[in-house]
Amino acid sequence: MNSQPDNDHQQQSDNGCNHQIPNQNHKSEHGDRPGMQALPMPVPDPPIQYTKLFISNEWHESCSGRKIPVYNPATGELLCEVEEADAEDVEKAVRSARAAFQMGSPWRSMDASDRGHLLNRLADLVERDRLLLATLEALDSGKVFLMAYFVDLMATIKTLRYYGGWADKIHGKTIPVDGEYFTYTRHEPIGVCGQIIPWNFPLMMFAWKIAPALCCGNTVVIKPAEQTPLSALHMAALIKEAGFPPGVVNVVPGYGQTAGCAISHHMDIDKVAFTGSTAVGKLIQKAAGDSNLKRVTLELGGKNPNIVFADCDLEYAVEQAHSGLFFNQGQCCLAGSRVFVEEPIYEEFVRRSVERARSKVLGNPLLPGVDQGPQIDQKQFNKIMELIESGKREGATLECGGSPWGQQGLFIQPTVFSNVTDDMRIAKEEIFGPVQQIMCFRSVHEVIQRANATHYGLAAGVFTNDIDKALTVSSALQAGMVWVNCYNAMSAQCPFGGFKMSGNGREL
Amino acid sequence: MLHALHSIYTGGREFRAEWLHLIGQTYQPVECECRPRANMQFIAVQAVSLFINNQWQDAVSGKTFPTINPATGEVICQVAEADEADVDKAVKAAHNAFRLGSPWRRMDASHRGLLLNRLADAIERDSTYLATLDNGKPYAVAYTVDLPNVVKCLRYYAGWADKWEGKTIPIDGDYFCYTRHEPIGVCGQIIPWNFPLLMQAWKLGPALATGNTVVMKVAEQTPLTALYVASLIKEVGFPEGVVNILPGMGPSAGAAIAKHMDVDKVAFTGSTEVGHLIQQASGSSNLKKVTLELGGKSPNIILSDANMEDAVEQSHFALFFNQGQCCCAGSRTYVQADIYDEFVERSVERAKRRVVGNPFDLKTEQGPQVDQEQFNKILGYISSGKREGAKLMCGGGVAADRGYFIQPTVFGDVQDNMTIAREEIFGPVMQILKFKSLEEVVTRANDTKYGLAAAVFTKDIDKANYVSNGLRAGTVWINCYDVFGAQAPFGGYKASGNGRELGEYGLDNYTEVKTVTIKVPQKNS
């Protein structure tokens, strides 16, 4: 999950164990580093086996007969068509999830440790199909294959294993209540959970959502993004293969306005979890208010400050700030999209950041050596280009990039703006693209004020060798995650979520 | 086979998960290809040395000792005998594996968990083999009870590895404070012969999940399964020196561990008598942390409103399970006066039906005792029971002309002051005592130096709460007995031990808490 694009595949071995286990002499799958063997290669012409709705462990056509076209954003070509779920299909899926949640059902009467074991088995199957899933993910979302393989797939496997371990460790309490009573708490599943996930990390978001829900014994109706349904449908097949009872997980690809809306308004869904934009997050919250007061958790947008002090390791900070923004084509809610740099090193920092951005290799995400793929779709592409124009218009200095790239596909040049001021749109709005804003600051007090002057509060970074500055700034930042001398360092063990309008609740 | 087991475990509630397993998947294999392997000679050859630094080594002294099949009294093979010098080597290996910057210390916690999961997978793969090697317990029991619980215990602690979280603490003043849960270091672990594999898993699971290194002494009666597991530990990729396994004798190898200046913690499961020695050794050496799981004389209380059939069966199981060789055996069965006669009659009838014989016969419920010493000791207790005036209702003698078999034995009219009501017999000898009131039985049940386990059978929720709260025991079962889950802690009050194994509590035994406090310019909430 750690997302430094340039050294990830040198650091992470193919089964997800880190580089810190150097001298084990066992078989290759354990300790060998990819550097010592051939890099993984995408599956050529991968079969797209699963294109239907997954309800009650069976494949269904949509009630309406409609289908969603699925494109490769690197080329614009049609990959396949997938059944499109609408309200009627959501209804079927909810009924199936409800039946699976009935008292006495196989799922409800299963030992917690067996739920954990199923999650572990699912992790094993994902590991088995790792190449295929990474290929599908790269084709469908345009992300770089090696990133998908080393970051997304590893995170998916580790998340499933992590929650596999929690299943039989969610303890209630016995409570020394006053009076002649005995009190205990039971931690019970909520019930049918609607889960709506985005297109930027299709597989990882799928794992983040289903793993804790299943670990606790809930049943799930999950809607993957219309742009990226393929890996989720493959996961559905693995869920069945692993042995989850019918109805425990139901996968319904569809659009937000139809299927997503049906989930968030449904009277028989007990909880909804959404990851996506803040604008849609508000709709989800309202829908819960309008319907059955279902529990709502939200992971929304961010405009994350990354604060670089003059006493830091400059070369390292430039690299981290670069990957903190450009990772995944800039399509991260966590993207460090406001880089605040202390005045004494500002110019040098900008110079080096521009140099670094220019060195980025764009191209076919399936090819080795490429480190930036296309944006996900035309709508995002247009939005990013429009914000770049606003940056120029409002007086920021365009240091590099700023235009589309290539003859086909939705590529945008790595773009760096300097002399960005806090009132500019590119300093306030989430761009979700490869566009880095670098601002200048003078004092600790000032930068804390400016960093917090946003309605978002998802993540933040601080680079300094001074322990006092590190602790002061990290305590003061209004953000759900603060990284000190690192960025995007995420792990299944560490909670993730937003202050303010970046969300509600914590995942992981 | 299914029926035979059903009669052992009655309603089957205590091993429900295993039951599903048995009925769904494993039942047929037990009858066909998963039969026990008969060639003990061949099996034994594979792992009979000391396991130090992931290598097989002979004892420094060159000494070996025979390991004996308790069903026949025959020698299975010779095993290397660890002594003080070998313990020293193993501690050095464990110490080196624990040094700062070692592969084990730098490994991600989640990867420690993955290794434990792989170990569980390997043991599951080799279950048939491991069940065959065990200590005279019926193969069917080893295969359906011991082995699945070993696998589950390791999987359970695998999950904990990356979830054993320290805290950040809102300390007064301009400070930032957090705790780190750190491994203690080199852990000496001394385990008994009654559940060789399960005790090994109970010890290794939490120690390795939390990142310690281990020097384990396995009981001299039952070294074979532990050594085979050592080979799996190496196979799945634990770094050198993380686990070291030494067969040896208590007074030599065990004592060397207990008094070693470089062993940071010792965990012992065995008799209360030896538990005292371990604690003393810690006191006279380096004050190593000590956890103990010791003996018991556990009361099992049957109220007159209980379901009679169920209570009889459970009480039978509570005592006779594993040839009576359980520290938590329900060895004082207190029965309320108005149902006493019927209960005794039915219990005797049940004990007479118990199938004693070859552990590899799938119908066998009871195998031999583990060795000559235990065999003699149990027969001595039976004599004392008769001498002191308890009423021998059935059994009381030797059950076969070779091997260490003892007849299932039931004593009625047992009084609290009799030796058989006070001392741990560790054999198939059931004591039934009569009581009248709840207050009386709680007082009598607690009148012992032990406090390991207890049970109460009643349909009345108020009585169940009254008795279970009043009993001074680490584990209380209500309307069941010997229900173990890796999730639920186990350990003793009073002289039954110190610390808890299993569950989240089990992690405490293997953790040093480090409080880190940092001066900050200005604190904010």
Side-chain angles (χ1 to χ4, degrees):
Chain A
M1 223 175 297
N2 202 321
S3 66
Q4 283 80 51
D6 290 319
N7 52 20
D8 253 320
H9 50 261
Q10 280 142 34
Q11 290 192 349
Q12 311 289 357
S13 80
D14 63 350
N15 73 341
C17 46
N18 280 4
H19 56 292
Q20 301 143 322
I21 315 152
N23 70 347
Q24 291 179 31
N25 53 2
H26 44 272
K27 297 174 216 73
S28 59
E29 59 168 319
H30 291 227
D32 283 3
R33 287 177 247 174
M36 296 155 69
Q37 62 191 38
L39 284 172
M41 296 291 288
V43 176
D45 300 320
I48 298 178
Q49 291 168 272
Y50 308 106
T51 59
K52 296 185 178 174
L53 313 180
F54 183 78
I55 298 173
S56 268
N57 280 8
E58 284 164 5
W59 299 101
H60 293 249
E61 284 163 13
S62 67
C63 295
S64 68
R66 285 200 306 272
K67 293 182 192 322
I68 304 172
V70 180
Y71 298 100
N72 177 349
T75 59
E77 71 178 345
L78 184 69
L79 288 170
C80 66
E81 289 191 319
V82 166
E83 297 293 321
E84 180 196 333
D86 203 338
E88 215 177 325
D89 307 289
V90 167
E91 185 61 40
K92 272 168 72 179
V94 172
R95 272 204 298 273
S96 143
R98 178 60 62 193
F101 194 74
Q102 285 309 307
M103 292 279 281
S105 73
W107 183 238
R108 290 299 295 280
S109 53
M110 183 182 286
D111 281 338
S113 66
D114 285 338
R115 291 203 305 269
H117 197 46
L118 286 177
L119 281 169
N120 268 320
R121 258 195 234 163
L122 182 58
D124 293 342
L125 295 177
V126 174
E127 196 158 34
R128 183 195 69 191
D129 290 355
R130 190 167 180 173
L131 276 176
L132 176 59
L133 280 163
T135 307
L136 285 178
E137 198 78 331
L139 278 177
D140 198 0
S141 76
K143 67 172 60 201
V144 175
F145 168 76
L146 288 174
M147 290 293 137
Y149 187 86
F150 286 114
V151 180
D152 298 59
L153 265 293
M154 182 190 71
T156 300
I157 293 163
K158 285 194 168 188
T159 300
L160 293 169
R161 291 216 170 106
Y162 177 76
Y163 283 106
W166 267 123
D168 59 357
K169 300 175 183 69
I170 305 165
H171 302 141
K173 297 174 179 176
T174 63
I175 296 172
V177 64
D178 287 353
E180 305 297 337
Y181 304 102
F182 168 57
T183 302
Y184 61 85
T185 57
R186 271 168 51 84
H187 287 195
E188 297 191 352
I190 295 177
V192 177
C193 299
Q195 304 185 317
I196 304 173
I197 59 171
W199 45 260
N200 57 343
F201 295 92
L203 194 52
M204 196 166 99
M205 292 298 107
F206 188 90
W208 282 25
K209 287 285 181 289
I210 66 158
L214 300 179
C215 158
C216 301
N218 295 277
T219 59
V220 164
V221 174
I222 187 165
K223 185 193 91 60
E226 66 271 18
Q227 295 91 338
T228 54
L230 299 184
S231 54
L233 291 174
H234 190 90
M235 287 296 284
L238 299 185
I239 283 166
K240 182 173 181 176
E241 185 182 346
F244 284 90
V248 170
V249 178
N250 305 276
V251 184
V252 285
Y255 293 96
Q257 301 88 325
T258 53
C261 186
I263 288 173
S264 59
H265 281 95
H266 204 288
M267 292 299 289
D268 208 24
I269 287 182
D270 303 301
K271 182 234 160 77
V272 63
F274 170 74
T275 296
S277 71
T278 295
V280 174
K282 289 182 172 181
L283 297 178
I284 303 275
Q285 185 94 310
K286 270 200 281 200
D290 286 345
S291 58
N292 60 344
L293 292 172
K294 55 177 68 67
R295 285 96 188 90
V296 178
T297 47
L298 303 169
E299 301 287 353
L300 308 174
K303 191 73 188 176
N304 307 294
N306 187 6
I307 300 169
V308 183
F309 284 97
D311 66 1
C312 72
D313 176 339
L314 182 61
E315 187 180 341
Y316 174 74
V318 166
E319 183 58 40
Q320 291 285 307
H322 174 83
S323 62
L325 185 284
F326 289 98
F327 177 60
N328 208 43
Q329 293 71 248
Q331 301 168 145
C332 300
C333 50
L334 292 172
S337 52
R338 292 184 292 150
V339 185
F340 289 98
V341 180
E342 202 170 16
E343 193 180 26
I345 59 165
Y346 182 78
E347 281 180 25
E348 179 63 12
F349 188 95
V350 171
R351 193 186 68 73
R352 292 197 193 198
S353 293
V354 169
E355 194 181 300
R356 180 67 186 85
R358 283 193 172 131
S359 74
K360 238 178 158 54
V361 180
L362 279 70
N364 178 350
L366 294 180
L367 296 178
V370 168
D371 50 22
Q372 184 178 318
Q375 308 308 123
I376 185 74
D377 64 11
Q378 191 68 48
K379 189 175 151 202
Q380 288 293 320
F381 180 89
N382 294 346
K383 182 184 145 197
I384 296 162
M385 290 310 301
E386 196 261 323
L387 277 160
I388 290 175
E389 288 309 313
S390 86
K392 294 193 239 177
R393 206 169 46 240
E394 294 182 359
T397 307
L398 180 67
E399 296 278 356
C400 68
S403 310
W405 178 90
Q407 302 304 310
Q408 60 163 12
L410 304 167
F411 293 89
I412 294 177
Q413 293 175 342
T415 300
V416 177
F417 280 112
S418 65
N419 297 317
V420 178
T421 56
D422 294 356
D423 56 341
M424 293 176 184
R425 281 184 65 202
I426 55 170
K428 293 200 298 203
E429 296 178 25
E430 189 173 36
I431 301 175
F432 233 62
V435 187
Q436 185 175 36
Q437 288 64 240
I438 310 182
M439 294 92 140
C440 182
F441 76 93
R442 289 197 178 78
S443 77
V444 173
H445 178 72
E446 170 208 338
V447 78
I448 289 171
Q449 297 299 319
R450 291 171 61 191
N452 285 338
T454 164
H455 57 253
Y456 292 115
L458 193 57
V462 52
F463 287 82
T464 175
N465 285 335
D466 182 324
I467 190 171
D468 287 343
K469 281 183 196 159
L471 291 170
T472 300
V473 173
S474 59
S475 297
L477 288 169
Q478 295 164 348
M481 278 85 48
V482 178
W483 290 291
V484 178
N485 292 333
C486 54
Y487 204 93
N488 276 354
M490 293 162 62
S491 191
Q493 298 88 7
C494 301
F496 173 95
F499 280 37
K500 300 194 279 187
M501 283 171 64
S502 286
N504 184 347
R506 292 291 179 274
E507 294 189 283
L508 304 186
Chain B
M1 149 89 195
L2 193 58
H3 293 293
L5 275 174
H6 207 290
S7 62
I8 301 174
Y9 307 129
T10 60
R13 221 176 278 140
E14 47 283 275
F15 296 106
R16 186 165 54 86
E18 284 67 35
W19 271 113
L20 291 174
H21 197 54
L22 196 68
I23 295 161
Q25 289 158 17
T26 326
Y27 174 50
Q28 284 305 326
V30 166
E31 293 286 20
C32 40
E33 70 266 24
C34 288
R35 281 184 176 285
R37 298 204 196 172
N39 192 341
M40 299 286 284
Q41 298 297 334
F42 169 75
I43 287 166
V45 173
Q46 296 195 8
V48 294
S49 323
L50 315 181
F51 183 75
I52 299 174
N53 238 351
N54 280 7
Q55 287 165 357
W56 298 101
Q57 310 191 355
D58 291 333
V60 171
S61 66
K63 276 197 293 192
T64 62
F65 65 90
T67 186
I68 291 166
N69 177 352
T72 61
E74 289 165 2
V75 173
I76 300 169
C77 63
Q78 293 285 324
V79 175
E81 182 184 336
D83 208 334
E84 195 167 345
D86 307 291
V87 168
D88 223 46
K89 274 170 73 179
V91 171
K92 281 203 181 75
H95 207 66
N96 187 48
F98 193 72
R99 73 185 188 281
L100 277 176
S102 73
W104 182 239
R105 291 299 294 279
R106 297 188 56 209
M107 187 180 286
D108 281 339
S110 67
H111 197 72
R112 292 202 304 268
L114 196 59
L115 290 179
L116 278 170
N117 263 324
R118 291 208 177 119
L119 180 59
D121 293 344
I123 290 174
E124 191 169 57
R125 178 195 68 199
D126 296 344
S127 279
T128 316
Y129 183 84
L130 282 162
T132 304
L133 274 183
D134 229 305
N135 71 345
K137 63 177 66 192
Y139 168 82
V141 175
Y143 188 82
T144 57
V145 179
D146 294 54
L147 264 299
N149 280 301
V150 166
V151 170
K152 286 186 166 201
C153 176
L154 294 173
R155 291 207 173 117
Y156 176 76
Y157 280 108
W160 269 122
D162 62 355
K163 299 172 186 69
W164 186 219
E165 296 156 346
K167 297 174 179 176
T168 62
I169 296 172
I171 189 177
D172 288 355
D174 285 328
Y175 303 99
F176 169 58
C177 179
Y178 62 87
T179 56
R180 274 165 54 82
H181 286 188
E182 297 190 354
I184 295 177
V186 177
C187 299
Q189 303 185 318
I190 303 173
I191 60 171
W193 45 261
N194 57 342
F195 295 92
L197 274 169
L198 194 58
M199 291 301 105
Q200 187 185 35
W202 284 23
K203 290 281 183 289
L204 289 181
L208 299 179
T210 47
N212 295 276
T213 59
V214 167
V215 175
M216 173 178 280
K217 185 195 94 62
V218 298
E220 65 271 22
Q221 295 88 344
T222 54
L224 298 183
T225 47
L227 290 172
Y228 185 76
V229 168
S231 73
L232 300 181
I233 284 169
K234 182 173 180 175
E235 177 192 322
V236 302
F238 281 92
E240 291 174 357
V242 170
V243 179
N244 305 278
I245 297 186
L246 308 175
M249 309 294 163
S252 53
I257 289 173
K259 69 178 189 209
H260 203 289
M261 292 300 287
D262 260 347
V263 169
D264 301 300
K265 183 239 158 70
V266 62
F268 170 75
T269 297
S271 72
T272 294
E273 182 191 358
V274 174
H276 280 285
L277 298 177
I278 302 277
Q279 186 99 307
Q280 282 164 6
S282 163
S284 53
S285 59
N286 61 344
L287 289 172
K288 55 178 68 65
K289 277 77 183 127
V290 179
T291 48
L292 303 169
E293 301 286 355
L294 308 174
K297 192 73 189 176
S298 301
N300 179 17
I301 300 170
I302 319 298
L303 305 190
S304 53
D305 69 348
N307 176 319
M308 171 68 80
E309 192 181 341
D310 194 40
V312 167
E313 185 58 39
Q314 290 289 315
S315 302
H316 174 82
F317 167 72
L319 186 284
F320 290 98
F321 179 60
N322 207 42
Q323 295 72 248
Q325 300 168 146
C326 299
C327 49
C328 53
S331 52
R332 290 184 291 150
T333 310
Y334 286 97
V335 181
Q336 206 155 19
D338 36 356
I339 59 164
Y340 180 83
D341 290 342
E342 188 189 350
F343 187 94
V344 171
E345 188 188 320
R346 289 203 191 196
S347 293
V348 169
E349 184 196 313
R350 177 65 186 88
K352 284 180 175 164
R353 274 194 286 119
R354 190 168 185 79
V355 182
V356 182
N358 177 4
F360 293 112
D361 183 334
L362 297 179
K363 290 191 180 63
T364 294
E365 292 173 90
Q366 183 177 317
Q369 309 308 124
V370 74
D371 65 8
Q372 185 77 47
E373 188 189 335
Q374 288 293 320
F375 178 80
N376 292 345
K377 186 178 144 197
I378 296 161
L379 291 176
Y381 276 119
I382 293 174
S383 303
S384 91
K386 290 192 261 187
R387 202 170 51 242
E388 293 178 15
K391 192 169 168 191
L392 180 68
M393 308 296 293
C394 68
V398 173
D401 51 10
R402 68 167 194 168
Y404 312 124
F405 295 90
I406 293 179
Q407 293 171 339
T409 300
V410 177
F411 278 111
D413 295 341
V414 177
Q415 303 302 317
D416 292 357
N417 60 356
M418 292 177 182
T419 308
I420 56 169
R422 304 208 68 80
E423 295 183 17
E424 191 172 32
I425 300 173
F426 233 63
V429 185
M430 184 180 198
Q431 288 65 240
I432 309 183
L433 308 89
K434 189 189 290 186
F435 76 93
K436 291 204 174 70
S437 77
L438 287 192
E439 292 73 14
E440 170 207 339
V441 77
V442 168
T443 306
R444 290 171 61 192
N446 286 337
D447 180 22
T448 165
K449 68 175 183 178
Y450 294 114
L452 193 58
V456 53
F457 285 80
T458 175
K459 287 180 190 151
D460 184 316
I461 189 172
D462 289 337
K463 288 177 184 165
N465 284 328
Y466 174 83
V467 175
S468 60
N469 289 345
L471 289 168
R472 308 255 307 145
T475 295
V476 179
W477 289 291
I478 300 178
N479 293 332
C480 54
Y481 206 98
D482 270 353
V483 179
F484 284 90
Q487 304 87 0
F490 178 80
Y493 278 39
K494 301 193 274 184
S496 285
N498 183 347
R500 292 292 178 273
E501 294 189 284
L502 301 186
E504 183 176 0
Y505 297 93
L507 298 167
D508 292 330
N509 300 340
Y510 292 95
T511 306
E512 289 279 21
V513 176
K514 177 183 281 175
T515 304
V516 183
T517 305
I518 308 176
K519 176 76 180 136
V520 295
Q522 184 195 59
K523 174 184 66 184
N524 279 280
S525 61

